[in-house]
Amino acid sequence: MPIFEYVCRECGHRFERIVHGSAVPACPTCEARNVDKQISAFAVGGTADGGGTSSGPGSCGTCGDPRGPGSCRMN
């Protein structure tokens, strides 16, 4: 199941949700369903609290795969 990032158009709150099918989640702050789905990017080498020291993509340069260019099959 994919995790999507959203921004509430009503209050501006950013949040993530696991979404099934075409369901539209409610904002956890104001409960509005007027939300925009955002492009989600994962961080390589971060910590569980999100305080990683990554300064951008890793060795691959495209997706951040630490194994190097061509490892992720994106390029």
Side-chain angles (χ1 to χ4, degrees):
M1 288 177 267
I3 297 176
F4 293 107
E5 294 180 22
Y6 295 89
V7 175
C8 179
R9 291 185 201 153
E10 303 294 324
C11 70
H13 182 73
R14 299 181 75 86
F15 62 98
E16 296 178 347
R17 284 290 178 269
I18 295 175
V19 178
H20 302 279
S22 61
V24 178
C27 172
T29 302
C30 71
E31 299 183 7
R33 292 195 180 269
N34 189 10
V35 296
D36 286 323
K37 188 184 296 186
Q38 302 295 296
I39 295 174
S40 180
F42 64 91
V44 175
T47 60
D49 65 358
T53 59
S54 177
S55 62
S59 302
C60 176
T62 302
C63 72
D65 192 313
R67 296 173 293 172
S71 299
C72 67
R73 300 183 187 180
M74 285 185 70
N75 37 351

Coordinates of all heavy atoms in Angstrom, one line a residue:
M1 N 0.8 -1.2 0.0 CA 0.0 0.0 0.0 C 0.9 1.2 0.0 O 1.8 1.4 0.8 CB -0.9 0.0 1.2 CG -2.0 -1.0 1.2 SD -3.0 -1.0 2.7 CE -2.1 -2.3 3.5
P2 N 0.6 2.2 -0.9 CA 1.4 3.4 -1.0 C 1.1 4.4 0.1 O 0.0 4.5 0.6 CB 1.1 3.9 -2.3 CG -0.3 3.4 -2.6 CD -0.4 2.1 -1.9
I3 N 2.2 5.1 0.5 CA 2.0 6.2 1.4 C 2.1 7.5 0.6 O 3.0 7.7 -0.2 CB 3.1 6.2 2.5 CG1 3.0 5.0 3.4 CG2 3.0 7.5 3.4 CD1 4.1 4.9 4.4
F4 N 1.1 8.3 0.8 CA 1.1 9.6 0.0 C 1.2 10.8 1.0 O 0.8 10.7 2.1 CB -0.3 9.7 -0.8 CG -0.4 8.7 -1.9 CD1 -1.3 7.7 -1.8 CD2 0.4 8.8 -3.0 CE1 -1.4 6.8 -2.8 CE2 0.2 7.9 -4.1 CZ -0.7 6.9 -3.9
E5 N 1.8 11.9 0.5 CA 1.9 13.1 1.2 C 0.8 14.0 0.7 O 0.5 14.1 -0.5 CB 3.2 13.7 1.0 CG 4.3 12.9 1.6 CD 5.7 13.5 1.4 OE1 5.8 14.8 1.2 OE2 6.7 12.8 1.4
Y6 N 0.2 14.8 1.6 CA -0.9 15.7 1.3 C -0.7 17.1 1.9 O 0.0 17.2 3.0 CB -2.2 15.2 1.7 CG -2.7 13.9 1.1 CD1 -2.3 12.7 1.5 CD2 -3.4 13.9 -0.1 CE1 -2.7 11.5 0.9 CE2 -3.8 12.8 -0.7 CZ -3.4 11.6 -0.2 OH -3.8 10.4 -0.9
V7 N -1.3 18.1 1.3 CA -1.3 19.4 1.9 C -2.8 19.8 1.9 O -3.5 19.8 0.9 CB -0.5 20.5 1.1 CG1 -0.7 21.9 1.7 CG2 0.9 20.1 1.1
C8 N -3.3 20.2 3.1 CA -4.7 20.7 3.2 C -4.8 22.0 2.6 O -4.1 23.0 3.0 CB -5.1 20.7 4.7 SG -6.8 21.2 5.0
R9 N -5.8 22.2 1.8 CA -6.1 23.5 1.2 C -6.8 24.5 2.1 O -6.8 25.7 1.9 CB -7.0 23.4 -0.1 CG -6.3 22.7 -1.2 CD -7.2 22.7 -2.4 NE -6.8 21.7 -3.4 CZ -7.6 21.1 -4.2 NH1 -8.8 21.4 -4.3 NH2 -7.1 20.1 -5.0
E10 N -7.4 23.9 3.2 CA -8.1 24.7 4.1 C -7.2 25.4 5.2 O -7.3 26.5 5.5 CB -9.2 23.9 4.8 CG -10.2 23.3 3.9 CD -11.1 24.3 3.1 OE1 -11.4 25.3 3.7 OE2 -11.4 24.0 2.0
C11 N -6.3 24.5 5.8 CA -5.5 25.0 6.9 C -4.0 25.0 6.6 O -3.2 25.5 7.4 CB -5.8 24.3 8.2 SG -5.2 22.6 8.2
G12 N -3.6 24.4 5.5 CA -2.2 24.3 5.1 C -1.4 23.2 5.8 O -0.1 23.1 5.6
H13 N -2.0 22.4 6.6 CA -1.3 21.3 7.3 C -0.8 20.3 6.3 O -1.5 19.9 5.4 CB -2.2 20.6 8.3 CG -1.6 19.5 9.1 ND1 -0.7 19.8 10.1 CD2 -1.7 18.2 9.0 CE1 -0.3 18.6 10.6 NE2 -0.9 17.7 10.0
R14 N 0.5 19.8 6.4 CA 1.1 18.8 5.6 C 1.0 17.5 6.4 O 1.4 17.4 7.6 CB 2.5 19.1 5.3 CG 2.7 20.4 4.5 CD 4.1 20.7 4.2 NE 4.6 19.8 3.1 CZ 4.5 20.1 1.8 NH1 3.9 21.2 1.4 NH2 5.0 19.2 0.9
F15 N 0.6 16.4 5.7 CA 0.6 15.1 6.4 C 0.7 13.9 5.4 O 0.7 14.1 4.2 CB -0.8 15.0 7.2 CG -2.0 15.0 6.3 CD1 -2.6 13.8 5.9 CD2 -2.5 16.2 5.9 CE1 -3.8 13.9 5.1 CE2 -3.7 16.3 5.1 CZ -4.3 15.1 4.7
E16 N 1.0 12.7 6.0 CA 1.1 11.5 5.2 C 0.0 10.6 5.6 O -0.4 10.5 6.7 CB 2.5 10.9 5.4 CG 3.6 11.7 5.0 CD 4.9 11.0 5.3 OE1 4.9 10.0 6.1 OE2 6.0 11.5 4.9
R17 N -0.4 9.8 4.6 CA -1.5 8.8 4.8 C -1.3 7.6 3.9 O -0.8 7.7 2.8 CB -2.9 9.3 4.6 CG -3.4 10.2 5.6 CD -3.7 9.4 6.9 NE -4.2 10.3 7.9 CZ -3.4 10.9 8.8 NH1 -2.1 10.8 8.8 NH2 -3.9 11.7 9.7
I18 N -1.6 6.4 4.4 CA -1.7 5.2 3.6 C -3.1 5.2 3.0 O -4.1 5.3 3.7 CB -1.5 3.9 4.4 CG1 0.0 3.9 4.9 CG2 -1.7 2.7 3.5 CD1 0.2 2.7 5.8
V19 N -3.2 5.2 1.7 CA -4.5 5.4 1.0 C -4.8 4.2 0.2 O -4.0 3.7 -0.6 CB -4.5 6.7 0.2 CG1 -5.8 6.8 -0.5 CG2 -4.2 7.9 1.0
H20 N -6.0 3.7 0.3 CA -6.5 2.6 -0.5 C -7.3 3.1 -1.7 O -8.2 3.9 -1.6 CB -7.4 1.7 0.3 CG -6.7 1.1 1.5 ND1 -5.9 0.1 1.5 CD2 -6.8 1.5 2.8 CE1 -5.4 -0.2 2.7 NE2 -6.0 0.7 3.5
G21 N -6.9 2.7 -2.9 CA -7.6 3.1 -4.1 C -7.6 4.5 -4.4 O -6.6 5.2 -4.3
S22 N -8.8 5.1 -4.7 CA -8.9 6.5 -4.9 C -9.5 7.3 -3.8 O -10.0 8.4 -3.9 CB -9.8 6.7 -6.2 OG -11.1 6.2 -5.9
A23 N -9.4 6.7 -2.6 CA -9.9 7.4 -1.4 C -9.2 8.7 -1.1 O -8.0 8.8 -1.4 CB -9.8 6.5 -0.2
V24 N -9.9 9.7 -0.6 CA -9.4 11.0 -0.3 C -9.4 11.1 1.2 O -10.4 11.0 1.9 CB -10.2 12.1 -0.9 CG1 -9.6 13.5 -0.5 CG2 -10.3 12.0 -2.4
P25 N -8.2 11.3 1.8 CA -8.1 11.4 3.3 C -8.6 12.7 3.8 O -8.6 13.7 3.1 CB -6.6 11.2 3.5 CG -6.0 11.8 2.4 CD -6.9 11.4 1.2
A26 N -8.9 12.7 5.1 CA -9.3 13.9 5.7 C -8.1 14.5 6.5 O -7.2 13.7 7.0 CB -10.4 13.7 6.8
C27 N -7.9 15.8 6.5 CA -6.9 16.5 7.2 C -7.0 16.1 8.7 O -8.0 16.3 9.3 CB -6.9 18.0 7.0 SG -5.8 18.9 8.0
P28 N -5.9 15.7 9.3 CA -5.9 15.4 10.7 C -6.1 16.6 11.6 O -6.5 16.5 12.8 CB -4.6 14.7 11.0 CG -3.7 15.1 10.0 CD -4.6 15.4 8.8
T29 N -5.8 17.8 11.1 CA -6.0 19.0 11.9 C -7.4 19.6 11.9 O -8.0 19.9 12.9 CB -5.0 20.1 11.4 OG1 -3.6 19.5 11.5 CG2 -5.0 21.3 12.2
C30 N -7.9 19.8 10.6 CA -9.2 20.4 10.5 C -10.3 19.5 9.9 O -11.5 19.9 9.8 CB -9.1 21.7 9.7 SG -8.8 21.4 7.9
E31 N -9.9 18.3 9.6 CA -10.9 17.3 9.1 C -11.4 17.6 7.7 O -12.3 16.9 7.2 CB -12.0 17.0 10.1 CG -11.4 16.4 11.4 CD -12.5 16.1 12.4 OE1 -13.7 16.1 12.0 OE2 -12.2 15.7 13.5
A32 N -10.9 18.6 7.0 CA -11.4 18.9 5.6 C -10.9 17.8 4.7 O -9.8 17.2 4.9 CB -10.8 20.3 5.2
R33 N -11.6 17.6 3.6 CA -11.2 16.6 2.6 C -10.7 17.4 1.3 O -10.5 16.8 0.3 CB -12.3 15.7 2.2 CG -12.6 14.7 3.4 CD -13.4 13.6 3.0 NE -13.7 12.7 4.1 CZ -12.9 11.7 4.4 NH1 -11.8 11.4 3.7 NH2 -13.2 10.9 5.5
N34 N -10.5 18.7 1.5 CA -10.0 19.5 0.4 C -8.5 19.5 0.4 O -7.9 20.4 0.9 CB -10.6 20.9 0.5 CG -10.3 21.8 -0.7 OD1 -9.8 21.3 -1.7 ND2 -10.6 23.1 -0.5
V35 N -7.8 18.4 -0.1 CA -6.4 18.2 0.1 C -5.8 18.1 -1.3 O -6.4 17.6 -2.3 CB -6.1 17.0 0.9 CG1 -6.5 17.3 2.4 CG2 -6.6 15.7 0.4
D36 N -4.5 18.4 -1.4 CA -3.7 18.2 -2.6 C -2.7 17.1 -2.4 O -1.9 17.2 -1.4 CB -2.9 19.5 -3.0 CG -3.8 20.6 -3.6 OD1 -4.8 20.2 -4.3 OD2 -3.6 21.8 -3.3
K37 N -2.6 16.2 -3.3 CA -1.6 15.1 -3.2 C -0.3 15.7 -3.7 O -0.2 16.4 -4.7 CB -2.0 13.9 -4.1 CG -1.1 12.7 -3.9 CD -1.5 11.6 -4.8 CE -2.8 11.0 -4.5 NZ -3.1 9.8 -5.4
Q38 N 0.8 15.4 -2.9 CA 2.1 15.9 -3.2 C 3.0 14.8 -3.8 O 2.7 13.6 -3.5 CB 2.8 16.5 -2.0 CG 2.0 17.6 -1.3 CD 1.8 18.8 -2.2 OE1 2.8 19.4 -2.5 NE2 0.6 19.1 -2.6
I39 N 4.0 15.2 -4.5 CA 5.0 14.2 -5.0 C 5.8 13.8 -3.7 O 6.3 14.7 -3.0 CB 5.9 14.8 -6.0 CG1 5.1 15.1 -7.3 CG2 7.0 13.8 -6.4 CD1 5.8 15.8 -8.4
S40 N 5.9 12.5 -3.5 CA 6.6 12.1 -2.3 C 8.0 11.6 -2.7 O 8.2 10.8 -3.7 CB 5.8 10.9 -1.7 OG 6.5 10.4 -0.5
A41 N 9.0 12.0 -1.9 CA 10.4 11.5 -2.2 C 10.9 10.9 -0.9 O 10.7 11.4 0.2 CB 11.3 12.7 -2.6
F42 N 11.6 9.7 -1.0 CA 12.1 9.1 0.2 C 13.5 9.6 0.4 O 14.2 10.0 -0.5 CB 12.1 7.6 0.1 CG 12.9 7.1 -1.0 CD1 14.3 6.7 -0.8 CD2 12.5 6.9 -2.3 CE1 15.1 6.2 -1.8 CE2 13.3 6.4 -3.3 CZ 14.6 6.1 -3.1
A43 N 13.9 9.5 1.7 CA 15.3 10.0 2.0 C 16.2 8.8 2.3 O 15.8 7.9 3.0 CB 15.2 10.9 3.3
V44 N 17.3 8.8 1.7 CA 18.3 7.7 1.9 C 19.2 8.2 3.0 O 19.8 9.3 3.0 CB 19.1 7.4 0.7 CG1 20.2 6.4 0.9 CG2 18.1 7.0 -0.4
G45 N 19.4 7.3 4.0 CA 20.4 7.6 5.1 C 19.8 8.5 6.2 O 20.5 8.9 7.1
G46 N 18.5 8.7 6.2 CA 17.9 9.5 7.3 C 17.7 8.7 8.5 O 18.0 7.5 8.6
T47 N 17.2 9.3 9.5 CA 16.9 8.6 10.8 C 15.4 8.5 10.9 O 14.6 9.2 10.2 CB 17.4 9.4 12.0 OG1 16.9 10.7 12.0 CG2 19.0 9.5 11.9
A48 N 14.9 7.7 11.9 CA 13.5 7.5 12.1 C 12.8 8.8 12.4 O 11.6 8.9 12.1 CB 13.3 6.5 13.2
D49 N 13.5 9.7 13.1 CA 12.8 11.0 13.4 C 12.9 12.0 12.3 O 12.4 13.2 12.4 CB 13.4 11.6 14.7 CG 14.9 12.0 14.5 OD1 15.5 11.8 13.4 OD2 15.5 12.5 15.5
G50 N 13.4 11.6 11.1 CA 13.5 12.6 10.0 C 14.6 13.5 10.1 O 14.7 14.4 9.2
G51 N 15.5 13.4 11.0 CA 16.6 14.4 11.2 C 17.9 13.9 10.5 O 18.9 14.2 11.0
G52 N 17.7 13.3 9.3 CA 18.9 12.8 8.6 C 19.8 14.0 8.1 O 19.4 15.2 8.1
T53 N 21.0 13.7 7.8 CA 21.9 14.8 7.4 C 22.1 14.8 5.9 O 23.1 15.3 5.4 CB 23.3 14.6 8.1 OG1 23.8 13.3 7.7 CG2 23.2 14.7 9.6
S54 N 21.2 14.1 5.1 CA 21.4 14.0 3.7 C 21.3 15.4 3.1 O 20.4 16.2 3.4 CB 20.2 13.2 3.1 OG 20.3 13.1 1.7
S55 N 22.2 15.8 2.2 CA 22.2 17.1 1.5 C 21.7 17.0 0.1 O 21.9 17.9 -0.7 CB 23.6 17.7 1.6 OG 24.5 16.9 0.9
G56 N 21.1 15.9 -0.2 CA 20.6 15.7 -1.6 C 20.6 14.2 -2.0 O 20.8 13.4 -1.1
P57 N 20.6 14.0 -3.3 CA 20.6 12.6 -3.7 C 21.9 11.9 -3.4 O 23.0 12.6 -3.2 CB 20.5 12.7 -5.2 CG 20.1 14.1 -5.5 CD 20.4 14.9 -4.3
G58 N 21.9 10.6 -3.2 CA 23.1 9.9 -2.9 C 24.0 9.7 -4.1 O 24.0 10.4 -5.1
S59 N 24.7 8.5 -4.1 CA 25.7 8.2 -5.2 C 25.1 8.2 -6.6 O 25.7 8.5 -7.5 CB 26.4 6.9 -4.8 OG 27.0 7.0 -3.6
C60 N 23.9 7.7 -6.7 CA 23.2 7.5 -8.0 C 23.0 8.8 -8.7 O 23.2 8.9 -9.9 CB 21.9 6.8 -7.8 SG 21.0 6.6 -9.3
G61 N 22.6 9.8 -7.9 CA 22.4 11.1 -8.5 C 21.0 11.3 -9.0 O 20.5 12.4 -9.2
T62 N 20.3 10.3 -9.2 CA 18.9 10.4 -9.7 C 17.9 10.1 -8.6 O 17.1 10.9 -8.3 CB 18.6 9.4 -10.9 OG1 19.6 9.7 -11.9 CG2 17.2 9.5 -11.4
C63 N 18.1 8.9 -8.0 CA 17.1 8.5 -6.9 C 17.7 8.5 -5.6 O 17.1 8.3 -4.6 CB 16.5 7.2 -7.2 SG 17.7 5.8 -7.0
G64 N 19.1 8.5 -5.5 CA 19.7 8.5 -4.2 C 20.2 7.1 -3.8 O 20.6 6.9 -2.7
D65 N 20.1 6.1 -4.7 CA 20.5 4.8 -4.3 C 22.0 4.8 -4.0 O 22.8 5.1 -4.8 CB 20.2 3.8 -5.5 CG 20.4 2.4 -5.1 OD1 21.3 2.0 -4.4 OD2 19.5 1.6 -5.4
P66 N 22.3 4.3 -2.8 CA 23.7 4.4 -2.3 C 24.6 3.4 -3.0 O 25.8 3.5 -2.9 CB 23.6 4.1 -0.8 CG 22.4 3.3 -0.6 CD 21.4 3.9 -1.7
R67 N 24.1 2.4 -3.8 CA 24.9 1.5 -4.5 C 25.5 2.0 -5.7 O 26.4 1.4 -6.3 CB 24.0 0.2 -4.9 CG 23.5 -0.5 -3.6 CD 22.6 -1.6 -4.0 NE 21.4 -1.0 -4.6 CZ 20.4 -1.6 -5.1 NH1 20.5 -2.9 -5.3 NH2 19.3 -1.0 -5.6
G68 N 25.1 3.2 -6.1 CA 25.8 3.9 -7.3 C 24.9 3.9 -8.5 O 23.8 3.3 -8.6
P69 N 25.4 4.5 -9.6 CA 24.7 4.7 -10.9 C 24.3 3.4 -11.5 O 25.1 2.4 -11.5 CB 25.7 5.4 -11.8 CG 26.6 6.1 -10.8 CD 26.7 5.2 -9.6
G70 N 23.0 3.3 -11.9 CA 22.5 2.1 -12.6 C 22.0 1.1 -11.6 O 21.3 0.1 -12.1
S71 N 22.1 1.2 -10.3 CA 21.7 0.2 -9.4 C 20.2 0.2 -9.2 O 19.6 -0.9 -9.0 CB 22.3 0.5 -8.0 OG 23.7 0.4 -8.0
C72 N 19.5 1.3 -9.4 CA 18.1 1.3 -9.2 C 17.3 1.1 -10.5 O 16.1 1.1 -10.4 CB 17.7 2.7 -8.6 SG 17.9 4.0 -9.7
R73 N 17.9 1.0 -11.6 CA 17.3 0.8 -12.9 C 16.5 2.0 -13.4 O 15.7 1.9 -14.2 CB 16.4 -0.5 -12.9 CG 17.2 -1.7 -12.6 CD 16.4 -2.9 -12.7 NE 17.1 -4.0 -12.2 CZ 16.7 -5.2 -12.1 NH1 15.5 -5.5 -12.5 NH2 17.4 -6.2 -11.7
M74 N 16.7 3.2 -12.8 CA 16.0 4.4 -13.2 C 16.8 5.0 -14.4 O 16.2 5.7 -15.2 CB 15.9 5.4 -12.1 CG 14.8 5.1 -11.1 SD 14.6 6.4 -9.9 CE 13.9 7.7 -10.9
N75 N 18.1 4.7 -14.5 CA 18.8 5.4 -15.6 C 19.4 4.3 -16.5 O 19.5 3.3 -16.5 CB 19.9 6.3 -15.0 CG 20.6 5.8 -13.8 OD1 20.2 4.8 -13.2 ND2 21.6 6.4 -13.4

